[in-house]
Amino acid sequence: MSDDTSGDDDASDDEFETELARARDLLDGDGIDAVHVGVVRDGEVDTTFAQRTDDEPDGAGLRALALLAAHVRLVAAEAGVEPSTVAGDAATLAGQVEQIPADTDQIPDE
């Protein structure tokens, strides 16, 4: 039996490349109303948020909330928990941080 796990690494790389290509395909369209992107490089987190403007003042806030809700559902699915659990944890964390962490070293301990 071999301890070689390079096959696992190749599968992870292939999965990452597939997801990256899917994200690029999603961004390649004119029908996008808003986007929130987070990129992690060497433990550093860069995020950006952009949205199309409209005449409806409530539209911008609703799009931002819709993006947040989609992200909460995604994190919940990945963690195998209910979205309400993730939302509650995120709300608790948001109340405890004074600024958004720019890298993983700035995330507070529990």
Side-chain angles (χ1 to χ4, degrees):
M1 185 165 170
S2 171
D3 289 336
D4 182 20
T5 58
S6 62
D8 293 340
D9 290 341
D10 291 342
S12 295
D13 288 345
D14 289 346
E15 184 178 338
F16 180 79
E17 290 299 323
T18 299
E19 289 298 321
L20 187 58
R22 181 175 179 268
R24 287 182 173 139
D25 287 344
L26 287 172
L27 291 171
D28 189 26
D30 293 333
I32 298 172
D33 292 322
V35 64
H36 180 229
V37 177
V39 177
V40 180
R41 287 188 184 101
D42 297 325
E44 300 288 321
V45 179
D46 291 317
T47 63
T48 186
F49 175 78
Q51 63 188 12
R52 296 186 192 275
T53 58
D54 58 11
D55 296 332
E56 217 176 300
D58 293 336
L62 290 176
R63 276 197 298 272
L65 283 174
L67 285 170
L68 176 60
H71 187 72
V72 165
R73 290 182 61 88
L74 177 67
V75 170
E78 288 288 324
V81 299
E82 291 295 318
S84 59
T85 301
V86 173
D89 290 348
T92 299
L93 183 58
Q96 294 175 351
V97 295
E98 294 180 19
Q99 69 181 51
I100 298 171
D103 64 53
T104 54
D105 292 337
Q106 295 176 339
I107 297 174
D109 294 330
E110 289 186 34

